[in-house]
């Protein structure tokens, strides 16, 4: 609550970066990169999200408890994704050699 | 921290009497808001999970649907939301500096941008309606190979952007409340917690869109 | 008895009960203690509605041909499951005892967000009203698990209405959890460090984590299910390209952790009762506290054990099986520590302690049969049979409902300011214990013999065991009706309670009058000793 | 089956194995329960408060070695449960690659339709021989069901949109329950029937009985009717892979993966041909048959496709391990 006021310059710079990244992601999506289209789009989205979280939501300067909460949120999302997808990814696997 | 201190503290603006002091109250509000945002994250997470599963199951169909997404509108809307996040953060800053007029101006600006986003979203939804891309009995898809699979994608599209739009509408409503509170001089340099909290919410909604845009509009565009 | 505060038995003292009168003072209250009572009455009502459905089911199962039409039976178990899980057991202890005691125990004047607390009760009631509407309009028949595509395409009952009811009450659950987390973090009294928190609070903290992280996922899953039911776009329907197993993943992502929402608060209660009636600090405080958090975290990693025969990848099943064993360890730690607490204690047998004995025994049986289910090849045989039914009733009824009753008795003096009749209470506890075992033990045998669950009719060779089970349920019903009667009587006519009738430790007994005043404490409480310091040690001692 | 036996009849090799594991678990659980009950009772009696004013006993705060012991030892026991259970699970859900007798089961609200390769069809009845591995291929026409035979200690959900399989070797002639174990609507509890286990000779006789054309013949008819034959057997232009000797063998896909052409693969290739395209062939040549062929018809087609790959020479149990389908 008592953090020093952030200069407008910082906010403007973040805003500019976000706009630039938006343009980049649209531009990149027009290129033929195969699987990298996906990687590029997601990387850019993650960078943009991080900028918003860190600067606009000020997690950069937040208490470690807030950081912990943000981390926990992401971690639990990851649990959901990893375990659901691991089922789908391994459905086609064969039992392999009878290892028992 | 005794009772006498708590009584003294009542003079602090906005302090509820079950808190010891406004620092504790502010800490509680912030923590509460962040925990709430985590629940929001899990809420959208369920849909993103479903999306990922089906995208892996039907990559070709999902790629083909991206051609029916209005990328210009999507991109402009991304810009609009980012801009609104910027104005929101400026509003918080003005509140922090106690500049009431500027605060109201930025809040109104944010509100307008939010409405602009929703209007453009409406235009898009209308387009889908005209093209019979609304999942359900009336659904049509030019490429009959992908009829069912495309329908699932559009289902997810409407569920995800629809939920996002509902969050935007709630946000707009809360901005109106903030504006009226600001107009009634409810905020001081020492107490502007609601502005800050709604700000966090607004940025969160922005972030959701930052991920929705590439996932729904861009990926597979080259195929 | 207590010597801490001078006004322990002043008649005219205002407390939260007599501070204000009239229905408005209840329906618009923001006092966590009053909200807890609102919850207590509404939740108990839902328990009896759910219990009435159970009675209907047990009557039907007296004969192999049944008594009701198939559809009626299917609706009975569905509504029994939905009411019992979402409207009774999930909020049972947290929203009543938790609501009442968490602020008291940490020395706060209220929860951090009193109005949100009230809102959460209203959401609960609205959700409950919607679900009851669905029941009155004809009910639902999907099973409490709502599996697609049956629920999304084939069932022609009130699925959407019920789902909305569950959805709304889900937000009530989220808000309660959020309120607890924030309160525990920010509103502890001076001296109340994390290492001195009563284990009741630790248990509720862990529960809240699950509520906050899990519930949103079932909310969105139900939204998708409702949309699918309207649009038939295929997200869960294989006939048009969807995958029904995805629904199960999303459902159990919440609903497995939710079973820990349904046991951690019970464990929390037991962790208070046992030290008090053994007059001894809890053995292994740190381990019990950490095991609550461990259950909350690990509980999110095992949901796939509900999908062992559902078409899930065998490798995923294997991982989920292994992790299910892992999550059993923290529960084991608790059971052993409770038992060890009694060693060389000074044990008395008041009703709450009797329920605690019951809890330990029945939870152990329920938990150990959980291990049977986590064992892949055994689960293949017994999944979707009465073995599973017996497993979870042992934990949820034998464990959690016993803890709930034990807790109600333990804190009844605090809540009402009166004592309950000890003799009747012990008698009722005994009836519950006997009736419970007679009801559910035969179901383990039925299950292994192969009687599937959700069966309105069953092969005749299973009749004997079913009759036993129904007989048990009738005894159980008596055991549940008794407390209603004598506690209702005691509330108005019981002898006045002293401030600390059990000589228990903890801020709620030692530093707050009975019943507590509106803001809980008359002076700011200060904590100077570790929790459960029954032997009055002056130094803080770690585990050696 | 007496009411007072806790075991249902054992009529398959798996039943014996599962019961053994169950007995192990019962013993462990019994010992643990006894231990805890004993401690609770013993402490409660031994340390009961004799006098209301007894001073509080000395506190015991805990013991690290004890905590470690009672976390680690139970976990070690649980690891045995896990490994034993997993072994049996993999065994039951992975049919032998060769020499199984295949039975095709379709679940539908509220009946089980059973087809044999030789053409017999039954409803809510199934006949199997003793002493021979029987493989079930399970499909559903509507909602999720679960094909459960308690006497074999086996079940599997029958999920619409995919095939599930399991296998068993029956041992005891007799009649045993088939039950539906996954709730599937109104008559879920009546969706059952009987499996008749027969001596091999009796079974052969039964199998030789009247049929209305074998599944293979019916599949062949469908194969012609849907025009599959023009591409997949007679075609010489190389638009589609020939189906001769495909079934049961590894197939290399255009994305480099290798999969084995089993029932699920054939089914998917019919309904959604673009999902897995064989290396060297183009996408979008073959029409999509999703929603056009009944589940039973699909099963007949699969039997026909199977018949295009005559059984490999007997290689017994030491058959080379199937190629790993997914390297990751
Ligand atoms: C409060 C509720 C609750 C709790 C706490 C649990 C706890 C556990 N449950 Fe249970 N479960 C349910 C409620 C609950 N369950 C419900 C409602 C269902 C059915 C849902 C439906 O389909 O409708 C279900 C179903 C269910 C299944 C799926 C069955 C199926 O449908 O096929 C499985 C499978 O693994 C399982 C496992 C476990 C395990 C391993 C634990 C563990 O956490 C238990 C841990 C405890 C102990 C192990 C006891 C104490 C330990 C000791 C004394 C140590 C000694 C041990 C050894 C030496 C081995 N449960
Ligand atoms: C918190 C959870 C909870 C609780 C407390 C209970 C309590 C009981 N349950 Fe519950 N049960 C579930 C959760 C719970 N159940 C769930 C989740 C399912 C699965 C549903 C599904 O498959 O979808 C299930 C399923 C289930 C079945 C299996 C149905 C089937 O698969 O076919 C059975 C069968 O015996 C049963 C019995 C009982 C009994 C006898 C009680 C007893 O303990 C109840 C005792 C209470 C009373 C007896 C009430 C006393 C009051 C009166 C008698 C007054 C009557 C009032 C009027 C008539 C107005 N339950
Ligand atoms: Cu088919 Cu139950
Ligand atoms: Cu579970």
């Amino acid at each position: 609550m008592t953090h020093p006021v952030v200069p407008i310059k910082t906010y403007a710079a973040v805003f500019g970066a976000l706009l630039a990244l938006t343009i980049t992601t649209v531009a990149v999506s027009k290129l033929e990169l195969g699987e990298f289209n996906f990687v590029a789009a997601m990387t850019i989205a993650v960078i943009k999200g991080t900028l918003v979280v860190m600067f606009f939501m000020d997690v950069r300067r937040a208490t470690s408890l807030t950081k912990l909460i943000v981390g926990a949120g992401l971690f639990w999302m990851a649990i959901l994704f990893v375990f659901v997808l691991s089922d789908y990814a391994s459905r086609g696997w064969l039992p392999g050699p009878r290892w028992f | 921290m005794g009772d006498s201190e708590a009584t003294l503290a009542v003079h602090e603006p906005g302090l509820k009497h079950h808190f010891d002091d406004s620092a504790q109250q502010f800490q509680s509000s912030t923590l509460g808001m962040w925990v709430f945002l985590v629940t929001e994250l899990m809420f959208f997470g369920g849909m993103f999970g479903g999306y990922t599963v089906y995208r892996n199951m039907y990559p070709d169909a999902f790629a083909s649907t991206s051609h029916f997404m209005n990328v210009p509108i999507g991109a402009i809307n991304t810009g609009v939301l980012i801009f609104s996040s910027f104005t929101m953060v400026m509003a918080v800053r003005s509140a922090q500096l106690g500049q009431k007029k500027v605060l109201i101006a930025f809040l109104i600006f944010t509100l307008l941008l939010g409405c602009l986003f929703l209007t453009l979203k409406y235009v898009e939804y209308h387009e889908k309606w005209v093209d019979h891309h609304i999942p359900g009995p009336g659904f049509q898809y030019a490429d009959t190979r992908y009829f069912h699979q495309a329908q699932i994608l559009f289902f997810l599209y409407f569920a995800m952007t629809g939920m996002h739009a509902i969050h935007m509408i709630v946000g707009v409503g809360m901005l109106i409340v903030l504006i009226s509170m600001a107009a009634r001089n409810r905020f001081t340099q020492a107490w502007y917690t609601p502005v800050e909290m709604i700000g966090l919410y607004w940025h969160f909604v922005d972030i959701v869109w930052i991920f929705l845009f590439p996932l729904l509009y861009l990926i597979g565009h080259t195929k | 008895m207590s010597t801490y505060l001078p006004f322990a038995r002043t008649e005219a003292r205002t407390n939260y009960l007599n501070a204000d009168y009239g229905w408005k003072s209840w329906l618009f209250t923001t006092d966590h203690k009053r909200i807890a009572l609102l919850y207590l009455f509404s939740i108990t009502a839902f328990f009896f509605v759910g219990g009435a459905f159970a009675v209907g089911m047990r009557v039907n199962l007296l004969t192999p041909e049944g008594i009701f039409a198939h559809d009626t039976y299917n609706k009975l178990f569905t509504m029994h499951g939905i009411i019992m899980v979402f409207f009774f057991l999930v909020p049972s202890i947290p929203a009543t005892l938790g609501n009442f005691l968490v602020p008291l125990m940490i020395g706060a004047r209220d929860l951090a967000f009193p109005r949100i607390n009230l809102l959460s009760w209203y959401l609960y009631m609205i959700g409950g009203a919607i679900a009851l509407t669905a029941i009155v309009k004809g009910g639902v028949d999907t099973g409490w698990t709502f599996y697609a595509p049956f629920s999304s395409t084939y069932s022609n009952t009130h699925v959407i209405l019920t789902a909305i009811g569950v959805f709304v009450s889900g937000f009530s659950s989220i808000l309660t959890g959020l309120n607890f987390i924030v309160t525990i973090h920010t509103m502890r009294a001076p001296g109340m460090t994390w290492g001195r928190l009563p284990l009741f609070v630790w248990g509720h903290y862990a529960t809240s984590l699950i509520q906050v992280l899990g519930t949103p996922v079932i909310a969105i899953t139900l939204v998708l299910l409702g949309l699918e039911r309207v649009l038939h776009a295929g997200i869960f329907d294989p006939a048009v390209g969807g995958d029904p197993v995805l629904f199960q993943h999303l459902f159990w992502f919440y609903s497995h952790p939710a079973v820990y929402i349904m046991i951690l608060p019970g464990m929390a209660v037991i962790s208070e009762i046992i030290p008090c009636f053994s007059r001894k600090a809890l053995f292994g405080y740190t381990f019990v506290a950490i095991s609550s958090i461990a259950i909350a975290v690990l509980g999110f990693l095992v949901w796939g054990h509900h999908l062992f025969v559902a078409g899930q990848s065998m490798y995923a099943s294997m991982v989920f099986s292994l992790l299910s064993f892992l999550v059993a360890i923290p529960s084991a730690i608790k059971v052993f520590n409770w038992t060890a607490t009694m060693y060389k204690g000074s044990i008395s047998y008041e009703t709450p302690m009797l329920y605690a004995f019951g809890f330990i025994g029945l939870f152990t049986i329920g938990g150990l049969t959980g291990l049977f289910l986590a064992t892949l090849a055994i689960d293949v045989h017994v999944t979707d049979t009465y073995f599973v039914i017996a497993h979870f009733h042992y934990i949820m009824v034998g464990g959690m409902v016993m803890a709930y009753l034990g807790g109600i008795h333990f804190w009844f003096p605090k809540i009402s300011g009166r004592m309950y009749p000890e003799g009747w209470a012990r008698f009722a506890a005994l009836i519950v214990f006997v009736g419970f075992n007679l009801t559910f033990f035969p179901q383990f045998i039925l299950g292994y013999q192969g009687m599937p669950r959700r069966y309105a009719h069953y092969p005749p060779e299973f009749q004997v065991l079913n009759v036993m089970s129904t007989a048990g349920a009738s005894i159980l019903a008596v055991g549940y009706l008794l407390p209603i009667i004598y506690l209702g009587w005691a509330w108005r006519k019981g002898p006045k309670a002293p401030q600390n009738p059990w000589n228990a430790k903890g801020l709620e007994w030692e530093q707050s009058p009975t019943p507590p005043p509106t803001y809980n404490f008359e002076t700011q409480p200060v904590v100077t000793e570790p929790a459960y310091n029954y032997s009055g040690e002056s130094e803080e001692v770690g585990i050696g | 089956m007496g009411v007072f036996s806790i075991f249902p009849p054992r009529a398959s090799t798996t039943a014996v194995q599962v019961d053994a594991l169950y007995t192990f678990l019962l013993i462990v659980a019994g010992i643990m329960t006894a231990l805890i009950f004993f401690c609770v009772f013993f402490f409660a009696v031994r340390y009961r408060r004799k006098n209301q004013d007894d001073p509080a006993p000395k506190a015991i705060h805990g013991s690290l070695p004890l905590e470690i012991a009672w976390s680690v030892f139970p976990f070690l026991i649980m690891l045995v449960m896990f490994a034993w259970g997993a072994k049996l699970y993999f065994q039951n859900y992975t049919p032998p690659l060769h020499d199984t007798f295949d039975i095709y089961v379709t679940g539908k609200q509220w009946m089980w339709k059973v087809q044999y390769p030789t053409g017999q069809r039954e409803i809510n009845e199934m006949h199997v021989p003793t002493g021979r591995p029987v493989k079930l291929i399970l499909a559903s026409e509507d909602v999720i069901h679960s094909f459960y035979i308690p006497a074999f200690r086996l079940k599997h959900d029958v999920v619409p949109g995919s095939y599930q399989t399991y296998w068993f070797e029956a041992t005891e002639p007799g009649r045993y329950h088939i039950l539906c174990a996954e709730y599937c609507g109104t008559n879920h509890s009546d969706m059952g029937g009987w499996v008749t286990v027969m001596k091999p000779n009796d079974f052969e006789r039964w199998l030789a009985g009247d049929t209305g054309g074998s599944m293979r013949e019916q599949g062949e008819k469908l194969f012609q009717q849907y025009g599959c034959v023009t591409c997949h057997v007679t075609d010489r232009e190389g638009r589609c892979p020939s189906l001769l000797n495909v079934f049961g063998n590894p197939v290399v896909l255009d994305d480099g993966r290798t999969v084995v052409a089993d029932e699920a693969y054939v089914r998917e290739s019919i309904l959604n041909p673009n999902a897995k395209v064989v290396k060297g062939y183009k996408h979008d040549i073959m029409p999509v048959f999703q929603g056009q062929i009944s589940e039973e018809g699909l099963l007949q087609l699969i039997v026909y496709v199977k018949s295009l790959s005559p059984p490999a020479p007997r290689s017994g149990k030491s058959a080379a391990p199937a190629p790993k389908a997914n390297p990751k």
Side-chain angles (χ1 to χ4, degrees), chain B:
Chain B
M1 282 231 183
D3 261 358
S4 51
E5 269 179 57
T7 338
L8 275 183
V10 167
H11 296 291
E12 293 182 48
L15 181 69
K16 308 254 172 46
H17 34 304
H18 61 288
F19 288 113
D20 292 338
D21 50 37
S22 47
Q24 189 190 37
Q25 178 171 353
F26 177 76
Q27 208 192 345
S28 301
S29 310
T30 325
L31 185 59
M33 193 63 202
W34 276 105
V35 173
F36 174 73
L37 291 183
V38 168
T39 69
E40 290 278 34
L41 185 68
M42 295 309 291
F43 187 80
F44 280 98
M47 284 188 288
F48 279 104
Y51 170 90
T52 318
V53 165
Y54 284 118
R55 197 189 113 79
N56 278 317
M57 220 180 264
Y58 306 128
D60 298 341
F62 274 37
S64 97
T65 56
S66 70
H67 296 283
F68 297 95
M69 299 295 168
N70 195 326
V71 178
I73 292 196
I76 291 172
N77 253 346
T78 314
V80 169
L81 265 197
I82 291 175
F83 194 17
S84 78
S85 259
F86 174 67
T87 55
M88 188 73 222
V89 93
M90 289 307 292
V92 177
R93 186 174 181 279
S94 337
Q96 206 174 358
L97 295 171
Q99 307 160 331
K100 179 188 156 194
K101 291 244 171 64
V102 189
L103 165 66
I104 295 183
F106 272 118
L107 286 177
I108 292 181
F109 215 147
T110 314
L111 177 78
L112 291 178
L113 287 168
C115 292
L116 177 60
F117 177 91
L118 285 169
T119 316
L120 289 175
K121 201 74 230 160
Y122 170 77
V123 172
E124 257 187 282
Y125 279 177
H126 184 73
E127 222 170 60
K128 301 275 177 301
W129 167 260
V130 173
D131 293 347
H132 296 279
H133 280 164
I134 312 256
F139 184 76
Q140 289 171 15
Y141 197 67
D143 192 339
T144 49
R145 283 177 305 163
Y146 296 138
F147 180 87
H148 292 310
Q149 299 156 4
Q151 183 168 227
I152 293 181
L153 183 277
F154 277 107
F155 183 97
L156 287 167
Y157 168 84
F158 278 102
M160 292 164 104
T161 59
M163 276 298 157
H164 179 263
I166 290 175
H167 279 77
M168 289 292 296
I169 293 171
V170 171
V172 163
M174 290 193 299
L175 280 174
I176 294 174
V177 175
L178 281 189
I179 292 171
S180 88
M181 280 173 85
R184 282 181 288 127
N185 284 324
R186 295 289 293 278
F187 302 127
T188 64
Q189 225 166 327
W191 188 79
Y192 53 92
T193 314
V195 186
E196 206 166 347
M197 297 303 115
I198 306 301
L200 288 178
Y201 173 86
W202 192 263
H203 299 310
F204 171 81
V205 178
D206 184 15
I207 294 178
V208 172
W209 181 260
I210 286 180
F211 281 87
L212 285 179
F213 173 59
L215 286 176
L216 293 171
Y217 291 72
L218 298 182
I219 290 177
H221 216 64
T222 54
K223 288 205 187 150

Side-chain angles (χ1 to χ4, degrees), chain C residues 87 123-124 126-131 160-170:
Chain C
F87 297 99
L123 287 175
Y124 169 78
I126 294 169
I130 295 173
I160 295 190
L161 205 55
T162 315
I164 294 176
V166 173
F167 179 87
V168 173
S169 76

Side-chain angles (χ1 to χ4, degrees), chain C residues 144 259-260 305-306 332 370 373-374 379 383 391-392 453, chain D residues 32 36:
Chain C
W144 82 281
V259 310
Y260 297 117
H305 67 209
H306 296 270
L373 297 171
D379 186 64
T383 181
H391 153 66
F392 68 72
R453 62 193 283 200
Chain D
M32 289 317 296
I36 289 180

Side-chain angles (χ1 to χ4, degrees), chain D residues 1 10 39 54 73 97 108 145 176 195 219 284 301:
Chain D
M1 169 201 336
R10 290 186 193 101
C39 288
D54 281 353
F73 284 116
L97 290 174
K108 153 176 196 247
H145 305 274
Y176 308 101
V195 53
D284 297 337
L301 275 171

